[in-house]
Amino acid sequence: MQRIVIVGGGYAGFYAAWNLEKRLRPDEAEITVIDPRPYMTYQPFLPEVMAGSVEARHAAVSLRKHLRRTRVVAGEVTRVEHARRALQVRPADGDDVELGYDVIVITAGAVTRTFPIPGVAEQAIGMKHVEEAVAIRDKLLTSFDRASVLPPGPERQRLLTVTFVGGGFSGVEGFGELLSLATSLLRSYPELSLADLSFHLVEAAGRILPEVTDEPGRWVVKALEERGAHVHLNTQLVSAVGGHVVLSTGQEFDSELIVWAAGNAANPVVAQHTDLPVDDRGFLRVRADLRIGTAEAFVPDAWAAGDDAAVPDIAVGTPGARTVPNAQHAVRQGRHLAANITAVLRGGTPKEYVHQSLGVVATLGLGQGVFQYRRLVVTGFPAWVMHRGYHVLAVPTWERKIRVLAVWLAAGLFGRDIVSLASVQHPREAFVRGGAPR
């Protein structure tokens, strides 16, 4: 009986455990997944959660419900000592616990990359988790309610100003979806107009969406600007103290909502608290067969995949190329991990991970999208349909597929739900205050 411990229940971790259950007999291995959250987040749906096109719970897949033979440990791994085949787990309550293992799989995922910019830690909201997507949506809806009773002026302008920092896929998709929600809300707020909205996308590079070529990237910028957005290229955020945004171009404005989507950084547990080999960026050194190590030698009984692993991309044929840290690779690497681990446990030989990109697709709001596969570029409504079609097929389990389709159908018939539940972030406030006026 082999003890297999999977660190992280994201894409790669969930799919590795799910497929190990299918491949291994119950008497062959005991599988454990360790993650602070009891669910896998389907991150491509986060922009639509922000816009109210997908229910928050439908973008999360319960680990306990779908991993029926896997032990799920709710906690955070704080140290990995592979030389002893042991790791430390910090649960939400109680003391740290040491767990032993025979085989370790690290799919911890990356963390949000931040910079020491004044005000960001106090004002910004990230975009990696369902809770953040819900908070962004509720904050925008609450701002509309507050702004609708104010006369035109600086305070109303501040409430209706939204700033996204980061022009990668998650930032652009979130920006486009939230802009779509905001413009649709104007029908329900006759006191407000399109001129009251001020949406800013800030990107330090000279272009957005680095995963696509220049031409579709320029098309996206043009499409967003035609919808009233302000796209700031070659621009950095200098300060956000008190919600007052200062850009490197000298432009300044007050923004009620600031969303940080400026990329990923290595998970500090992997980068600093393990005896496994990491590269100069803090990512695990991984071979093409997903075993941790180098091309010359691998670390026995240690595997890794996903955003926190420097997996060679042998499909592109370029020396030193690494797979892009996206859902497309993480899902397939998780499945490949399960196949290779099963092969090794049964005396076989692991195979190299090879995956030709299926292209990239992004939503820019209701009815708007962009898709590129090599030289083929599709924009507008057809790309948006392709985006929805691909992701409803990609989200794991038929239960989630049906729930998402049902929500999309209901939204198509009745429109998006525009109720803000921001008070859920402070559930005891009404109880403590009672009926007393403030």
Side-chain angles (χ1 to χ4, degrees):
M1 176 72 75
Q2 290 288 298
R3 298 171 299 168
I4 302 174
V5 171
I6 301 173
V7 180
Y11 292 118
F14 173 82
Y15 276 93
W18 204 20
N19 284 270
L20 281 170
E21 286 188 349
K22 299 174 184 177
R23 291 175 175 272
L24 295 174
R25 300 187 308 272
D27 63 339
E28 284 186 282
E30 174 188 273
I31 307 167
T32 300
V33 171
I34 306 172
D35 198 287
R37 290 177 169 80
Y39 55 83
M40 182 208 81
T41 301
Y42 190 72
Q43 291 186 349
F45 277 159
L46 292 187
E48 295 205 52
V49 170
M50 289 168 45
S53 298
V54 171
E55 288 297 322
R57 285 183 175 85
H58 299 169
V61 179
S62 170
L63 298 179
R64 293 183 182 274
K65 182 174 182 178
H66 298 288
L67 300 179
R68 301 185 183 277
R69 282 176 39 214
T70 297
R71 178 192 178 198
V72 178
V73 176
E76 181 181 1
V77 174
T78 58
R79 179 173 293 278
V80 176
E81 296 183 51
H82 190 64
R84 296 197 304 116
R85 300 296 195 276
L87 50 80
Q88 294 287 328
V89 180
R90 180 168 298 160
D93 300 293
D95 299 328
D96 287 9
V97 179
E98 181 172 287
L99 293 182
Y101 61 83
D102 298 303
V103 177
I104 191 168
V105 180
I106 298 184
T107 55
V111 298
T112 301
R113 181 180 61 181
T114 58
F115 300 97
I117 300 173
V120 167
E122 295 78 16
Q123 299 294 327
I125 303 176
M127 246 197 74
K128 285 187 70 69
H129 304 292
V130 174
E131 301 91 337
E132 294 171 324
V134 173
I136 291 168
R137 177 174 183 266
D138 285 344
K139 194 173 183 67
L140 179 73
L141 294 173
T142 301
S143 293
F144 265 75
D145 286 330
R146 294 170 60 190
S148 65
V149 298
L150 293 175
E155 181 61 16
R156 188 161 88 170
Q157 184 68 59
R158 179 184 67 82
L159 287 168
L160 298 178
T161 298
V162 175
T163 305
F164 271 67
V165 182
F169 253 75
S170 61
V172 170
E173 286 191 309
F175 183 79
E177 285 287 348
L178 207 64
L179 177 60
S180 176
L181 172 62
T183 51
S184 69
L185 284 173
L186 294 174
R187 293 192 294 269
S188 301
Y189 290 86
E191 306 91 344
L192 305 175
S193 68
L194 186 61
D196 292 316
L197 300 181
S198 185
F199 272 65
H200 298 264
L201 177 62
V202 181
E203 169 54 43
R207 50 165 297 178
I208 61 174
L209 296 178
E211 295 87 348
V212 303
T213 54
D214 291 344
E215 188 58 34
R218 286 192 291 267
W219 180 89
V220 172
V221 171
K222 182 180 178 182
L224 292 173
E225 290 178 338
E226 288 176 349
R227 292 160 56 189
H230 306 279
V231 181
H232 306 270
L233 301 178
N234 295 309
T235 304
Q236 297 178 339
L237 177 65
V238 175
S239 174
V241 176
H244 182 72
V245 172
V246 180
L247 303 180
S248 58
T249 57
Q251 186 173 354
E252 300 182 23
F253 50 86
D254 291 324
S255 182
E256 174 68 6
L257 176 56
I258 301 173
V259 181
W260 185 267
N264 297 326
N267 192 304
V269 174
V270 172
Q272 304 168 18
H273 303 290
T274 178
D275 56 356
L276 293 168
V278 297
D279 63 17
D280 54 0
R281 299 176 302 158
F283 294 97
L284 287 165
R285 295 186 182 276
V286 179
R287 295 156 49 98
D289 58 11
L290 302 184
R291 287 188 286 195
I292 295 176
T294 64
E296 293 75 27
F298 63 87
V299 179
D301 305 319
W303 307 75
D307 292 356
D308 220 30
V311 180
D313 191 351
I314 60 178
V316 300
T318 303
R322 299 288 183 262
T323 57
V324 178
N326 60 20
Q328 188 178 138
H329 280 296
V331 168
R332 287 162 178 81
Q333 287 171 8
R335 292 172 178 156
H336 199 80
L337 271 173
N340 276 355
I341 292 171
T342 301
V344 170
L345 291 182
R346 293 175 177 173
T349 303
K351 297 180 180 179
E352 293 185 333
Y353 171 76
V354 184
H355 171 63
Q356 296 287 349
S357 173
L358 301 177
V360 291
V361 62
T363 175
L364 303 175
L366 204 60
Q368 292 287 326
V370 61
F371 167 82
Q372 181 173 20
Y373 176 70
R374 297 181 180 176
R375 294 185 179 181
L376 173 64
V377 177
V378 180
T379 59
F381 183 77
W384 176 77
V385 172
M386 294 169 70
H387 175 272
R388 286 204 161 182
Y390 172 80
H391 285 298
V392 79
L393 291 174
V395 67
T397 80
W398 279 103
E399 174 231 0
R400 279 296 181 262
K401 298 179 197 296
I402 293 171
R403 289 183 185 275
V404 169
L405 283 171
V407 172
W408 282 344
L409 177 61
L413 293 173
F414 307 112
R416 290 182 285 207
D417 198 325
I418 61 170
V419 175
S420 169
L421 295 178
S423 58
V424 76
Q425 298 170 39
H426 307 282
R428 297 186 65 252
E429 184 176 343
F431 170 73
V432 172
R433 193 182 67 194
R438 294 184 180 179

